[in-house]
Amino acid sequence: MWFADSDLYKWIEAASYVLASEDDPDLARRVEDCVGLVADAQDDDGYLNTYFALEVPDKRWTNLNTMHELYCAGHLIEAAVAHHRATGSREFLAVAIRLADHVDSTFGDEVEGPPGHEGIELALVSLARVTGEQRYVDLSEYFVEQRGRGRFEEEFETIEEIAGYEAGIATDARDVFYEDGAYDGSYAQAHAPFLDQVAVEGHAVRATYFLTEVADVVAETGNEEYLAHLEALWENMAHKRTYVTGGIGSSREGERFTDDYDLPNDTAYAETCAAIGSVFWNHRLFELTGEAKYQDLIERTLYNAVLAGISLDGTEFFYDNRLESAGDHHREGWFECACCPPNLARLFGSLEDYLYATADRTVYVNQFVGSELETDIGGRDVTVTQRTNYPWEDEVTLAVETAEPTAFTLAVRVPGWCREVEVAVDGEPVGVEGTGYAEIDREWSGETVEIVFDQPVRRLEAHPAVEADAGRVALARGPLVYCLEGADHDRPLSQYVLDGETTFDPDYRPDLLGGVVAVEADASVPEMGGWEGELYREAPTERVRKPITAVPYYAWDEREPGEMAVWLRTTSPRTGE
Amino acid sequence: MWFADSDLYKWIEAASYVLASEDDPDLARRVEDCVGLVADAQDDDGYLNTYFALEVPDKRWTNLNTMHELYCAGHLIEAAVAHHRATGSREFLAVAIRLADHVDSTFGDEVEGPPGHEGIELALVSLARVTGEQRYVDLSEYFVEQRGRGRFEEEFETIEEIAGYEAGIATDARDVFYEDGAYDGSYAQAHAPFLDQVAVEGHAVRATYFLTEVADVVAETGNEEYLAHLEALWENMAHKRTYVTGGIGSSREGERFTDDYDLPNDTAYAETCAAIGSVFWNHRLFELTGEAKYQDLIERTLYNAVLAGISLDGTEFFYDNRLESAGDHHREGWFECACCPPNLARLFGSLEDYLYATADRTVYVNQFVGSELETDIGGRDVTVTQRTNYPWEDEVTLAVETAEPTAFTLAVRVPGWCREVEVAVDGEPVGVEGTGYAEIDREWSGETVEIVFDQPVRRLEAHPAVEADAGRVALARGPLVYCLEGADHDRPLSQYVLDGETTFDPDYRPDLLGGVVAVEADASVPEMGGWEGELYREAPTERVRKPITAVPYYAWDEREPGEMAVWLRTTSPRTGE
């Protein structure tokens, strides 16, 4: 792939996150070898892209819509920032700065236009934060502002020359950028300037990277109009274009968003990278607003859409994540377009960034993962040690230690799915109202906070406009969405119907799928007898009881190949008079 | 298309059927012009195929799997037989005989193998019946025997040379004849000899033509083993691979049969020509067995899968017939591959062949269409005049006239869908048991038989193994399958749920769709309020009453473009304990 440079950079970034917390000399040596190779590949003027250098050296920056020079540059910069933070070395960072400076001196002057695949914009903000250089923020904002103002369409006149040996590039690019024969920039969010975009559109990875970088620009510039528009687009995505798993981008064709409420299950694309992009974007929106709903969506996405993207043993991956399978969809060891595996690696490598946040005199506990936070409040050291077996068990314990008694607010997220929560400080109950954050404002000097989430099995139904889920429910418990698999059932899954009145029996099974809470419930299947010589008939088919066993969606496709379904048929509620 | 000769022949055949019963000098002149053109195109040795003659004259008979020389020859012969029967002229028949003789002298000697698209075999039997020449039956049987015994696979080595200017032929042919990289002859029923075929397989038009010609061979040879195997294959098709409309061949890819019970609605292919092929085959099976079940399937197929293939005004056509549409599937005026329109023309032109049958001293009334039968029983003239407004009204009247009192059995089909029927001769009730044929054995001398079919609206359910129809019912009345259309409903069709207890209100509406019985019924839709800011939630959605209006499936897509659905959601029956 002509953008394979980016996969090396993502690997360096992921490895750097590991090196930040682990001493691994072998990994460190391999990283340094890669950094050396990258540094050697850089041109004297700072330009760096191996496809262009080797194949079409005279075509630099002549095709932005598809050829991904800026996208690769972005991943180099992100990797270099991570490498610098992990190792303290400035070697790779210097390469990134030279490349960023080359881009800065080129764009807005001799070349105009945004990248066809976003990514460099958020990397430039990271670089600005490491270097203190405001011009990288300005360049990021420039790219954001350029989007939706032309350039891409005319580039298709010359794309064949640039595509070089990659014969399929030009054709594929036209397929995704054109609709009914006419150019349509929405694939790359280039159909309109940001403030004129009324919904999340196009290639879902591009879209979430774009919205992430707009959020980064807002963080640096304080642009309130942009923030309000980001929130409006989030409403559109979260409430009209997101699978119950947190997956986004329902169409394989163009790997893209389609229409509101168009969320088919058996053809769901829901690319793993797009779910990761959604986590990036929600993380920024939380940082800008402090609102728990963004953390709720991060949790739902992490535990379902993202986690399903990698096998339990970490060696196989889903590129796309269906919510229903006839048994022909399986994780693979690698992909020719290898974006998802290193993206998972860098997300998991940097997972610590998503657990806590601090602002002024508040410490946010956002995600429930065994961990230790070391921070300071007004210069005083504060440590929060989190112990939990969430989501299998209901308790989370936070041990708060301070060097000296320190007053601050501990804001513990109460997930949106949670109907009942108990919070106690050293055994003394704390009143909690609704979801969002349970805020405990006090002087801390060595207390233990105990939180107990009630995690009943929930029957979720989708908005009636979601045609694919009509007459169906999805089961969830805590942050986990559940599914049925053929491995646990001897009838085709479409034959099971869940009664409205059934009770659920969640049970931790250490032997199953690496240890999961499985959920059993009564259901019914059709009596199969009496159909000899008939395919259609009037007499209603009798149904017989047959239980179902639901398992966490993230752990599907780990046993013998078979069917899978998230959305289960249910007896329709009776009509009200 | 390289097989477009066949469309001209089908047009001549259809026009000949018209000329058999109508005096139309202009049509007759156009037919003679066409016949003259065809005769002029014939080579001295009897060979006739314009694609080969003009493009690859040295490649005759070198590719049988795809290039359709024998298929086109078959349609020429069928047209010539129809033309001869309609006009008495032998001009076109002579062309057909020279072509058939050329094929006869070529195959089994210098060339071996069956046609990739069947058709010539049944035409040869027709030719044998007109000419009395047994060798055409033998040649037909030869082609049937050749199928599934090799040849096709090796032809792919040279198909590029023969495909000539039609660059796509070779690629497309490989796509349909290969499965996972390996040759698979099932597309053309060439995966095994006839008696080793365990299900109806492959391209559905080819399959039904093949089974039709096997039936023709049985009719001429009395091969009981073939007949028993045809009946077994019919069971497979009718009870595992046929849509409720009678449509067959569920997959667009390869226009083919897939697996038992694989009958998706929104992607249903159900090619119009395949439904016509099914009518051909069922007609032969009835003639071989006298069993009413074949007439039942003919009726279901004619009134639904076939009739939907043509617009009410006769000018637009469906090539494929979905059972569910989002509103993007419409009839068209013509197709590049123009097989269906002339196939409809020749079926409707010869519809009279499907209404009655006679055998020994029995007169079968098979389909209920206003018509007059003139026949004889033991040399005595018998006339049956049928008057009916079926299926809109329940009565059929048969006036039996005889030149002199004549004893015979009048066998009136009682459709499989009919639960109650009353039959009376001159007002005297006749006892009828079950479905099949109501047989009235008596001496006839001017009686009137009155038949009243009870036609309640039926809720049909599909075999539980049909995943696409799980939790759904189709409505039918008499021979007609019904559907919902967006034009009659202001909610998306997926939101309507039919209660188990609803009553149906059928009503003849002369203003609607050329005059149809529409069916109204109570149903419910979800209350849409209360979803602000939510896409998934626990609280069950209230439902509100909203009636549905169902219209005959054949008349869909005649109003503003919109949704259509045959299978309607219904409240699942409660589980028996």
Side-chain angles (χ1 to χ4, degrees):
Chain A
M1 289 286 189
W2 63 104
F3 49 83
D5 287 5
S6 64
D7 293 320
L8 175 63
Y9 304 146
K10 284 197 281 189
W11 180 84
I12 297 175
E13 183 185 345
S16 297
Y17 294 139
V18 173
L19 293 175
S21 58
E22 275 184 36
D23 190 25
D24 185 334
D26 181 55
L27 184 64
R29 187 186 47 72
R30 289 161 68 198
V31 166
E32 296 320 315
D33 287 351
C34 290
V35 167
L37 278 171
V38 174
D40 286 349
Q42 190 165 37
D43 286 359
D44 292 339
D45 62 358
Y47 182 89
L48 205 175
N49 183 291
T50 65
Y51 176 84
F52 277 77
L54 297 173
E55 297 296 324
V56 281
D58 60 332
K59 299 294 184 190
R60 280 184 189 183
W61 313 125
T62 57
N63 180 291
L64 302 183
N65 64 30
T66 303
M67 297 309 297
H68 292 351
E69 290 160 286
L70 291 169
Y71 168 78
C72 290
H75 276 299
L76 184 150
I77 295 167
E78 279 201 275
V81 169
H83 180 260
H84 169 69
R85 285 191 170 136
T87 65
S89 158
R90 296 191 67 87
E91 181 191 356
F92 196 15
L93 190 66
V95 174
I97 289 170
R98 290 176 64 206
L99 176 54
D101 289 347
H102 175 76
V103 172
D104 191 28
S105 66
T106 303
F107 278 81
D109 186 12
E110 55 185 293
V111 183
E112 291 274 19
H117 194 313
E118 298 89 335
I120 193 170
E121 303 89 329
L122 57 94
L124 286 166
V125 172
S126 295
L127 187 64
R129 288 171 184 167
V130 162
T131 61
E133 291 281 359
Q134 173 64 25
R135 63 201 166 88
Y136 298 136
V137 172
D138 298 341
L139 182 56
S140 179
E141 193 175 17
Y142 162 82
F143 283 132
V144 167
E145 291 288 339
Q146 282 287 308
R147 190 160 303 277
R149 299 186 194 279
R151 162 133 196 166
F152 287 176
E153 186 175 1
E154 56 264 36
E155 291 179 345
F156 283 101
E157 292 166 19
T158 54
I159 190 169
E160 273 84 359
E161 303 163 28
I162 302 146
Y165 72 89
E166 295 275 6
I169 301 175
T171 311
D172 291 350
R174 278 210 183 76
D175 281 351
V176 293
F177 273 98
Y178 281 72
E179 182 77 25
D180 295 332
Y183 172 78
D184 168 22
S186 65
Y187 171 73
Q189 301 72 50
H191 52 298
F194 171 64
L195 289 174
D196 296 332
Q197 298 188 13
V198 295
V200 289
E201 296 288 3
H203 185 266
V205 180
R206 283 171 170 78
T208 52
Y209 284 20
F210 176 53
L211 296 162
T212 298
E213 68 208 23
V214 176
D216 275 348
V217 167
V218 169
E220 297 298 323
T221 64
N223 187 327
E224 292 291 328
E225 197 178 10
Y226 273 19
L227 179 58
H229 198 62
L230 281 176
E231 291 177 308
L233 290 175
W234 185 89
E235 295 288 335
N236 171 255
M237 183 183 86
H239 299 146
K240 293 179 180 170
R241 300 187 174 202
T242 299
Y243 285 100
V244 70
T245 57
I248 51 172
S250 51
S251 170
R252 169 172 306 270
E253 191 138 353
E255 306 179 313
R256 64 185 290 163
F257 289 104
T258 56
D259 299 318
D260 289 350
Y261 304 113
D262 176 38
L263 296 162
N265 294 308
D266 54 350
T267 61
Y269 198 66
E271 183 180 338
T272 303
C273 282
I276 293 170
S278 175
V279 170
F280 293 162
W281 183 34
N282 277 283
H283 184 53
R284 264 59 165 204
L285 286 172
F286 165 77
E287 288 183 329
L288 290 172
T289 64
E291 287 192 44
K293 65 183 180 185
Y294 302 117
Q295 292 294 342
D296 284 349
L297 188 50
I298 287 175
E299 180 182 67
R300 179 148 62 99
T301 306
L302 276 178
Y303 280 85
N304 301 286
V306 170
L307 203 51
I310 184 167
S311 62
L312 295 179
D313 67 1
T315 63
E316 295 195 309
F317 307 91
F318 275 132
Y319 193 107
D320 50 311
N321 293 276
R322 299 183 196 166
L323 277 76
E324 183 178 320
S325 170
D328 55 352
H329 187 52
H330 307 294
R331 291 185 188 84
E332 296 176 36
W334 204 246
F335 308 102
E336 188 187 357
C337 175
C339 53
C340 299
N343 231 355
L344 284 163
R346 66 194 191 120
L347 177 66
F348 291 138
S350 60
L351 194 64
E352 62 183 41
D353 294 345
Y354 298 88
L355 309 184
Y356 303 93
T358 55
D360 298 333
R361 52 184 301 286
T362 301
V363 173
Y364 293 91
V365 181
N366 283 323
Q367 302 296 335
F368 305 106
V369 176
S371 55
E372 192 172 283
L373 170 72
E374 292 175 5
T375 186
D376 72 292
I377 297 291
R380 296 178 180 180
D381 288 343
V382 173
T383 303
V384 178
T385 303
Q386 183 176 179
R387 294 282 174 267
T388 183
N389 198 19
Y390 183 96
W392 309 131
E393 295 173 14
D394 302 343
E395 296 85 17
V396 174
T397 303
L398 302 169
V400 182
E401 290 170 84
T402 52
E404 52 192 309
T406 306
F408 64 91
T409 301
L410 186 71
V412 180
R413 184 171 64 91
V414 179
W417 54 259
C418 186
R419 295 284 164 264
E420 279 187 60
V421 61
E422 291 171 15
V423 180
V425 179
D426 287 342
E428 286 292 312
V430 176
V432 178
E433 284 179 21
T435 56
Y437 284 95
E439 299 188 351
I440 312 169
D441 185 4
R442 58 170 291 157
E443 193 177 69
W444 298 89
S445 55
E447 290 78 7
T448 296
V449 181
E450 288 170 312
I451 305 129
V452 182
F453 297 114
D454 188 32
Q455 296 195 63
V457 176
R458 311 190 307 286
R459 296 164 59 101
L460 299 178
E461 58 179 34
H463 190 288
V466 183
E467 183 176 339
D469 302 337
R472 294 174 183 270
V473 290
L475 302 184
R477 181 177 176 273
L480 296 174
V481 172
Y482 277 69
C483 68
L484 302 195
E485 283 201 278
D488 300 306
H489 301 87
D490 58 13
R491 289 286 193 98
L493 298 183
S494 66
Q495 295 187 8
Y496 289 84
V497 174
L498 201 61
D499 277 356
E501 305 81 22
T502 190
T503 54
F504 298 103
D505 182 16
D507 185 32
Y508 183 73
R509 289 171 54 181
D511 55 312
L512 184 66
L513 296 165
V516 298
V517 170
V519 173
E520 295 220 349
D522 271 341
S524 69
V525 293
E527 168 62 49
M528 297 299 284
W531 277 96
E532 294 70 27
E534 283 190 291
L535 183 51
Y536 306 102
R537 71 179 185 193
E538 283 187 77
T541 300
E542 289 296 309
R543 298 191 68 82
V544 293
R545 291 214 169 275
K546 201 171 186 64
I548 55 169
T549 301
V551 295
Y553 169 75
Y554 78 79
W556 85 276
D557 194 41
E558 293 282 350
R559 295 174 290 173
E560 61 268 39
E563 283 189 289
M564 183 277 290
V566 168
W567 288 94
L568 318 178
R569 291 172 57 202
T570 185
T571 49
S572 305
R574 297 279 150 170
T575 307
E577 294 303 321
Chain B
M1 290 287 190
W2 64 103
F3 49 82
D5 287 5
S6 65
D7 293 320
L8 175 63
Y9 304 147
K10 285 199 280 191
W11 181 84
I12 297 175
E13 183 186 345
S16 297
Y17 294 139
V18 173
L19 293 176
S21 57
E22 276 184 35
D23 191 25
D24 186 333
D26 181 56
L27 183 63
R29 188 186 47 72
R30 288 160 68 197
V31 166
E32 296 320 312
D33 287 350
C34 290
V35 167
L37 279 172
V38 174
D40 287 348
Q42 189 164 37
D43 286 358
D44 291 340
D45 62 358
Y47 182 88
L48 205 174
N49 183 291
T50 65
Y51 176 83
F52 277 78
L54 297 172
E55 297 295 326
V56 281
D58 61 332
K59 300 293 185 189
R60 281 184 188 184
W61 313 125
T62 58
N63 179 291
L64 301 183
N65 64 31
T66 303
M67 297 308 297
H68 292 352
E69 289 159 287
L70 291 169
Y71 169 79
C72 290
H75 276 299
L76 183 150
I77 295 166
E78 278 201 276
V81 169
H83 180 259
H84 168 68
R85 285 190 171 135
T87 65
S89 159
R90 295 191 67 89
E91 181 191 355
F92 196 15
L93 189 66
V95 173
I97 289 170
R98 290 176 62 205
L99 175 54
D101 289 348
H102 174 77
V103 172
D104 191 28
S105 66
T106 303
F107 279 81
D109 186 13
E110 55 184 292
V111 184
E112 291 274 19
H117 194 313
E118 298 90 336
I120 193 171
E121 302 90 330
L122 57 93
L124 286 166
V125 173
S126 295
L127 188 63
R129 288 170 182 167
V130 162
T131 60
E133 292 280 1
Q134 173 65 25
R135 63 201 167 88
Y136 298 137
V137 172
D138 297 341
L139 182 57
S140 179
E141 193 176 14
Y142 163 83
F143 283 133
V144 167
E145 291 289 340
Q146 282 286 309
R147 190 159 302 276
R149 300 186 193 279
R151 161 133 198 169
F152 287 175
E153 186 175 1
E154 55 264 36
E155 290 179 346
F156 283 102
E157 292 166 19
T158 53
I159 190 170
E160 273 85 359
E161 303 163 28
I162 302 147
Y165 72 88
E166 294 276 9
I169 300 176
T171 311
D172 291 350
R174 278 209 184 75
D175 281 352
V176 293
F177 273 98
Y178 281 72
E179 182 76 28
D180 295 331
Y183 171 78
D184 168 22
S186 65
Y187 172 73
Q189 298 74 49
H191 51 298
F194 171 63
L195 288 175
D196 296 331
Q197 298 188 12
V198 296
V200 289
E201 295 289 3
H203 185 267
V205 180
R206 283 172 171 78
T208 51
Y209 283 21
F210 175 52
L211 296 163
T212 299
E213 69 209 21
V214 176
D216 275 348
V217 167
V218 170
E220 298 298 323
T221 64
N223 187 327
E224 291 291 329
E225 198 180 9
Y226 273 19
L227 179 58
H229 198 62
L230 280 176
E231 291 175 308
L233 290 174
W234 185 89
E235 294 290 334
N236 171 255
M237 183 182 88
H239 299 146
K240 293 179 180 170
R241 301 187 173 202
T242 300
Y243 284 100
V244 70
T245 56
I248 51 173
S250 51
S251 170
R252 169 172 307 268
E253 191 139 353
E255 305 178 313
R256 64 184 294 161
F257 290 104
T258 56
D259 299 319
D260 289 349
Y261 304 113
D262 176 37
L263 296 162
N265 294 309
D266 54 350
T267 61
Y269 198 66
E271 183 181 337
T272 303
C273 282
I276 293 170
S278 175
V279 170
F280 292 163
W281 183 35
N282 278 281
H283 184 52
R284 264 59 163 205
L285 286 172
F286 165 78
E287 289 182 329
L288 291 171
T289 65
E291 287 192 43
K293 66 184 180 185
Y294 303 117
Q295 291 295 342
D296 283 350
L297 187 50
I298 287 175
E299 180 182 68
R300 180 148 61 98
T301 306
L302 276 177
Y303 281 85
N304 301 286
V306 170
L307 203 51
I310 184 167
S311 63
L312 295 179
D313 68 1
T315 63
E316 295 194 308
F317 307 92
F318 276 133
Y319 194 106
D320 51 311
N321 293 276
R322 300 184 196 164
L323 277 75
E324 184 178 320
S325 169
D328 54 352
H329 186 53
H330 307 294
R331 292 187 188 83
E332 295 176 38
W334 203 248
F335 308 102
E336 188 187 1
C337 175
C339 52
C340 299
N343 231 355
L344 284 163
R346 64 193 192 121
L347 177 66
F348 291 139
S350 59
L351 195 65
E352 62 182 41
D353 294 346
Y354 298 88
L355 308 185
Y356 303 93
T358 55
D360 299 333
R361 52 184 300 287
T362 301
V363 173
Y364 293 91
V365 180
N366 283 323
Q367 303 296 336
F368 305 106
V369 176
S371 55
E372 193 173 281
L373 169 72
E374 292 174 6
T375 186
D376 73 290
I377 299 290
R380 295 178 180 180
D381 288 345
V382 173
T383 303
V384 177
T385 304
Q386 184 176 177
R387 294 280 173 269
T388 183
N389 198 20
Y390 182 97
W392 310 130
E393 295 173 15
D394 302 342
E395 296 86 17
V396 174
T397 303
L398 303 168
V400 182
E401 290 168 83
T402 52
E404 52 193 310
T406 306
F408 64 90
T409 300
L410 186 72
V412 180
R413 185 171 64 91
V414 179
W417 55 258
C418 186
R419 296 282 164 265
E420 278 186 61
V421 61
E422 291 171 16
V423 180
V425 179
D426 287 344
E428 286 292 309
V430 174
V432 177
E433 284 178 23
T435 55
Y437 284 95
E439 299 187 350
I440 312 169
D441 185 5
R442 59 170 289 157
E443 192 176 71
W444 298 91
S445 56
E447 290 78 7
T448 296
V449 181
E450 288 170 314
I451 306 129
V452 182
F453 297 114
D454 188 31
Q455 296 196 62
V457 176
R458 309 190 309 284
R459 296 163 61 100
L460 300 178
E461 58 179 32
H463 189 289
V466 182
E467 184 176 340
D469 302 337
R472 294 175 184 269
V473 290
L475 302 185
R477 181 177 177 275
L480 295 174
V481 172
Y482 278 69
C483 69
L484 302 195
E485 283 202 277
D488 300 306
H489 301 87
D490 58 14
R491 289 287 193 98
L493 298 183
S494 66
Q495 296 188 6
Y496 289 84
V497 174
L498 201 60
D499 277 355
E501 305 82 21
T502 189
T503 53
F504 298 103
D505 183 15
D507 185 30
Y508 184 73
R509 289 171 54 181
D511 56 311
L512 184 66
L513 296 165
V516 297
V517 169
V519 173
E520 296 222 346
D522 272 341
S524 69
V525 293
E527 168 63 48
M528 297 299 285
W531 277 95
E532 293 71 26
E534 284 191 289
L535 183 52
Y536 306 101
R537 72 179 185 192
E538 284 188 76
T541 300
E542 289 295 310
R543 298 190 67 82
V544 292
R545 291 214 168 275
K546 200 168 185 65
I548 54 168
T549 301
V551 296
Y553 170 74
Y554 79 79
W556 85 276
D557 193 41
E558 292 282 350
R559 295 175 289 173
E560 62 268 39
E563 283 190 290
M564 183 278 292
V566 168
W567 288 94
L568 318 178
R569 292 173 57 203
T570 185
T571 50
S572 305
R574 297 280 151 169
T575 308
E577 296 301 321

